[in-house]
Amino acid sequence: MGAWGMGVFDDDTSCDLLYEAMETDALSFIKKAQNHKDAEYLEYDECHEVIVAASIMDYILNGTKYNHNTEGYDEWLSKQGKEGIEGIENLKSVISEGLRRVLSGESELNELWLENEEDYPAWKGNIESILSNLNG
């Protein structure tokens, strides 16, 4: 696991996904993440895709900003939203369900974090916070 902290973007994979997201628009990236809804088990990369999509969604719908070190991301993020907001709102329940699955036994990322008893509660709390924001 390439994580250096418990934050949403404290992982190599999530940072790579930010660059991937910036190659398109927010709605397209979020739609890609919804494709994992039918998977029996969420692999490591798929979990991060759901989390990153949810954090982008949280910013667009609620203005929540997450710490990151990805150059150009804030500028890209500030340009997202208005034209695709209805489509993004329509995906809220699917992405929320994806976050619940990330926190379940159907998730490689959850299994890996469970091995770290000290940091697991903070990591889980960060994901639950995004979930709460999307459903609040």
Side-chain angles (χ1 to χ4, degrees):
M1 195 163 68
W4 57 85
M6 286 76 62
V8 173
F9 299 118
D10 291 346
D11 187 284
D12 292 330
T13 302
S14 61
C15 291
D16 289 345
L17 285 166
L18 286 183
Y19 286 114
E20 184 179 316
M22 291 189 302
E23 292 175 3
T24 184
D25 61 88
L27 181 58
S28 297
F29 184 81
I30 293 167
K31 281 182 176 180
K32 182 180 173 201
Q34 78 159 346
N35 292 335
H36 306 307
K37 68 180 186 286
D38 297 325
E40 289 183 34
Y41 183 82
L42 291 178
E43 301 293 337
Y44 184 84
D45 291 350
E46 295 168 336
C47 291
H48 279 289
E49 200 166 87
V50 170
I51 294 168
V52 170
S55 69
I56 292 170
M57 181 181 279
D58 191 16
Y59 174 81
I60 291 169
L61 299 178
N62 304 314
T64 307
K65 292 186 177 185
Y66 297 90
N67 291 331
H68 67 88
N69 293 318
T70 305
E71 189 174 328
Y73 177 63
D74 288 331
E75 182 181 343
W76 174 84
L77 197 56
S78 70
K79 294 177 182 176
Q80 305 304 306
K82 299 289 184 211
E83 61 281 344
I85 198 159
E86 185 177 315
I88 290 170
E89 286 179 345
N90 290 338
L91 295 172
K92 202 163 47 168
S93 64
V94 173
I95 296 300
S96 293
E97 179 57 31
L99 287 175
R100 284 189 278 282
R101 292 197 57 219
V102 166
L103 294 172
S104 76
E106 301 171 349
S107 157
E108 181 179 15
L109 189 58
N110 189 62
E111 289 176 3
L112 290 169
W113 275 106
L114 274 169
E115 294 173 6
N116 185 333
E117 292 177 18
E118 184 178 329
D119 293 335
Y120 179 75
W123 173 81
K124 182 179 178 187
N126 287 333
I127 305 304
E128 289 174 333
S129 178
I130 300 170
L131 188 56
S132 176
N133 290 348
L134 293 180
N135 293 303

